């Protein structure tokens, strides 16, 4: 019996080692074999839902000292600029990043780096949606606050758990098999070693993409009571951290197509849209006064004529379009944003402060109204498709129900 148990134990160990070796060699998450983690290898499976595991794990290995952080709407900004020469750049954006996650990712990046340069994408929906602080797939123990935390028992315990999940689990084995079979990325997204990624599928591009993203906003509106108070407080904590750590930080409001601006306004959030920009300016300047430093550069792009009001069908016809789906912009606009935020190009983007934020918002309204007036039939058609696609969920409050009914009622006229 003893010999039998020894044989079983030895066989079990050998199987575990074989599975771990197989997953290590295939490396579906792109976190172990960094030297060969090119776009082709990273794109074998859809990394979309695993970035809260892979990106924090990569930071202590890559040790970037210049990062871009934000939601998926910052995912196409390449960490490259003359001002970043000599720095190790990385795009740390993850899908649906909450404001609290933004703070924790910056702390973790600085503990792993430290950071010298930082670019933060500010997303209206992320600030207004009452998400849980951490979304599914992320735990606090994976994120260090200081370099000392990287040597703590809690951090190493979480690291051991992550290693087991990515090398020894059946889920990892399944993803390794999918990576080798070529069937692991049905969403058709392309991922790059610098942390950027983008959707390559035409299925949700152009008009279809606007319908898809508009439906998402309508569903989000019906299921969430929007408020920005707590997130603005977290934003202030983030700015304090960056000031105190002497990180060269730049902020930008992620642009969306003016049709999507109108969707938010039609859903009753016109004032919140204005308040969001005004509060960003106010918090940026208040924290700067508090620490005795100049406010960080904050840039808005939603008044860029010929870009945020491009024809809706463009995204489905050409990679030269600025937007893929009205919300996520392509690499061309990402490059332009990078140049504006880190350069002195005053012809693209508006530096937002107490003097410029009001005329900036007026220019956005004028551009939105002009676009809607040019093609009312197309706008109504897309709104109707959005309403048809969105299930009739129960609204969280009367204002949400009334605004939703009003939005969909207008689409039927």
């Amino acid at each position: 019996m003893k010999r039998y148990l020894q044989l079983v134990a030895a066989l079990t160990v050998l199987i575990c080692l074989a599975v771990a070796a197989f997953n290590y060699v295939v490396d579906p998450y792109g976190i172990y074999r960094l030297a060969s983690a090119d776009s082709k290898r990273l794109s074998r499976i859809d990394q979309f839902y695993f970035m809260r595991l892979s990106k924090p794990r990569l930071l202590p290995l890559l040790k970037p000292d210049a990062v871009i952080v934000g939601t998926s709407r910052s995912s196409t900004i390449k960490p490259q600029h003359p001002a970043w020469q000599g720095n190790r750049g990385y795009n740390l954006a993850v899908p649906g990043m909450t404001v609290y996650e933004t703070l924790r990712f910056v702390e973790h990046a600085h503990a792993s780096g430290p950071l010298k340069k930082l670019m933060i994408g500010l997303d209206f929906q992320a600030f207004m949606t009452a998400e849980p602080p951490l979304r599914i797939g992320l735990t606090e123990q994976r994120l260090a606050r200081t370099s000392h935390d990287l040597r703590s028992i809690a951090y190493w315990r979480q690291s051991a758990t992550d290693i087991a999940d990515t090398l020894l689990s059946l889920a990892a084995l399944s993803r390794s098999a999918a990576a080798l079979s070529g069937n692991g990325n049905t969403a058709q997204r392309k991922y790059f070693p610098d942390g950027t990624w983008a959707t390559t599928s035409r299925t949700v591009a152009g008009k279809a993409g606007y319908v898809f993203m508009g439906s998402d906003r309508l569903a989000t509106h019906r299921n969430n009571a929007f408020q920005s108070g707590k997130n603005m407080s977290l934003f202030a904590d983030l700015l304090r951290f960056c000031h105190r750590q002497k990180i060269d930080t730049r902020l930008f409001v992620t642009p969306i197509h003016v049709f999507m601006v109108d969707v938010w306004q039609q859903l009753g959030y016109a004032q919140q849209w204005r308040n969001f920009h005004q509060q960003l300016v106010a918090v940026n300047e208040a924290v700067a006064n508090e620490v005795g430093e100049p406010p960080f550069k904050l840039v808005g792009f939603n008044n860029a004529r010929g870009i945020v009001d491009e024809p809706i069908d463009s995204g489905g016809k050409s990679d030269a379009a600025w937007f893929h789906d009205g919300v996520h912009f392509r690499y061309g606009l990402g490059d332009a944003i990078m140049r504006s935020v880190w350069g002195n190009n005053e012809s693209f983007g508006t530096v937002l402060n107490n003097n410029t934020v009001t005329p900036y918002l007026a220019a956005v309204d004028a551009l939105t109204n002009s676009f809607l007036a040019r093609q009312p039939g197309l706008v109504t058609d897309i709104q109707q498709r959005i309403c048809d696609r969105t299930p009739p969920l129960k609204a969280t409050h009367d204002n949400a129900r009334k605004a939703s009914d009003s939005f969909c009622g207008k689409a039927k006229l």
Side-chain angles (χ1 to χ4, degrees):
M1 177 61 74
K2 182 178 180 181
R3 183 176 177 79
Y4 172 75
L5 292 176
Q6 289 175 336
L7 183 62
V8 170
L11 185 60
T12 300
V13 170
L14 286 174
I15 291 173
C16 289
L17 289 175
V19 169
F22 177 70
N23 287 328
Y24 179 86
V25 171
V26 178
D27 192 17
Y29 306 100
I31 57 179
Y32 293 110
R33 302 179 63 196
L34 298 180
S36 58
D38 57 13
S39 177
K40 184 177 180 180
R41 287 183 64 85
L42 291 175
S43 303
R44 293 172 303 170
I45 69 168
D46 189 5
Q47 306 284 351
F48 196 78
Y49 298 103
F50 311 127
M51 291 187 195
R52 285 174 169 80
L53 165 65
S54 62
K55 288 197 170 184
R57 294 247 54 89
L58 283 171
L59 285 178
L61 301 174
L62 296 174
K63 298 185 183 302
D65 57 5
V67 302
I68 298 158
V69 66
T71 67
S72 59
R73 290 170 57 191
S74 298
S75 67
T76 52
I77 302 179
K78 299 174 184 176
Q80 301 172 1
H81 188 272
W84 283 32
Q85 287 184 359
N87 293 110
R88 300 179 301 278
Y90 189 68
N91 187 309
L92 194 52
V94 300
M97 179 177 275
T98 68
V99 180
Y100 179 73
E101 286 177 332
T102 303
L103 170 61
R104 296 292 286 109
F105 269 63
V106 169
E107 290 174 335
H108 183 55
H110 189 64
S112 304
L115 291 179
K116 295 179 180 177
K117 296 184 183 297
L118 173 64
M119 181 173 174
I120 305 175
L122 307 171
D123 186 329
F124 172 68
Q125 183 168 333
F127 270 79
M128 299 302 297
T129 306
E131 294 278 8
L134 299 177
R135 302 192 72 178
I136 294 174
L138 186 63
T139 64
E140 289 275 4
Q141 291 74 23
R142 192 176 292 140
L143 302 172
R145 291 188 185 275
T146 67
S147 57
H148 177 73
D149 289 343
L150 295 173
R151 300 185 294 273
S152 68
I153 294 176
Y155 182 81
W156 281 102
R157 185 184 297 120
Q158 182 61 48
S159 297
T161 299
D162 292 341
I163 290 171
D165 288 342
T166 54
L167 292 183
L168 294 171
S169 70
L170 290 176
L173 186 62
S174 173
R175 288 168 192 139
S176 290
L180 292 178
S181 70
N183 297 319
N185 193 354
T186 56
Q188 298 182 50
R189 297 184 180 100
K190 196 167 185 178
Y191 301 88
F192 296 88
D194 63 3
T196 62
W197 85 91
T199 300
T200 58
S201 171
R202 297 288 186 188
T203 304
V204 288
K207 188 174 180 180
Y210 282 68
V211 172
F212 179 85
M213 298 310 301
S215 176
D216 174 76
R217 268 101 193 106
L218 182 57
T220 299
H221 159 77
R222 287 173 172 174
N223 289 299
N224 291 275
F226 276 21
Q227 54 186 0
S228 64
K230 185 175 182 180
N231 283 328
M232 282 297 170
S233 177
L234 290 169
F235 176 56
D237 290 340
L238 172 60
L239 298 185
R240 289 188 189 98
F241 178 84
C242 295
H243 276 295
R244 289 168 180 164
Q245 300 303 322
K246 307 298 182 183
I247 304 170
D248 184 1
T249 303
R250 310 290 172 91
L251 315 169
F252 74 100
V253 182
T254 50
I256 58 176
H257 193 278
V258 293
F259 174 83
M260 293 299 178
V261 174
D262 182 63
V263 168
W264 282 125
Q265 294 178 342
Q266 291 294 329
L267 290 175
Y269 293 105
Q271 190 57 50
Q272 284 89 337
W273 169 262
R274 298 183 65 84
N275 290 345
F276 167 66
H277 292 81
Q278 292 166 342
Q279 288 174 352
L280 290 178
V281 169
V283 171
N284 187 30
E285 298 198 359
V287 171
N289 289 333
E290 177 186 317
V291 299
E293 296 286 347
F296 292 130
K297 183 178 181 180
L298 168 62
V299 188
F301 297 98
N302 244 91
N303 60 344
R305 187 175 300 276
I307 295 178
V308 296
D309 61 342
E310 72 174 355
I312 285 178
D313 286 339
S314 298
K317 294 179 179 179
S318 171
D319 289 338
W322 297 109
F323 287 92
H324 184 81
D325 52 20
V327 172
H328 298 96
F329 48 83
R330 297 180 185 272
Y331 283 101
L333 184 48
D335 291 343
I337 290 172
M338 189 73 177
R339 290 194 299 270
S340 175
V341 169
W342 292 94
N344 297 308
N345 182 10
E346 297 181 358
S347 64
F348 178 61
T350 298
V351 177
L352 300 179
N353 54 45
N354 285 326
N355 296 322
T356 62
V357 65
T358 298
Y360 168 81
L361 291 169
V364 175
D365 287 341
L367 201 57
T368 302
N369 293 333
S370 174
F371 175 84
L372 298 175
R374 289 200 305 270
Q375 38 191 342
L378 177 61
V379 170
T380 301
D381 176 59
I382 294 178
Q383 289 179 346
Q384 181 60 58
R385 290 171 183 266
I386 289 171
C387 293
D388 291 344
R389 194 183 194 282
T390 309
L393 303 174
K394 182 180 179 180
T396 54
H397 49 90
D398 288 342
N399 289 340
R401 185 179 67 253
K402 290 177 182 177
S404 176
D405 291 344
S406 175
F407 178 84
C408 291
K410 290 178 181 177
K412 294 178 181 178
L413 295 178

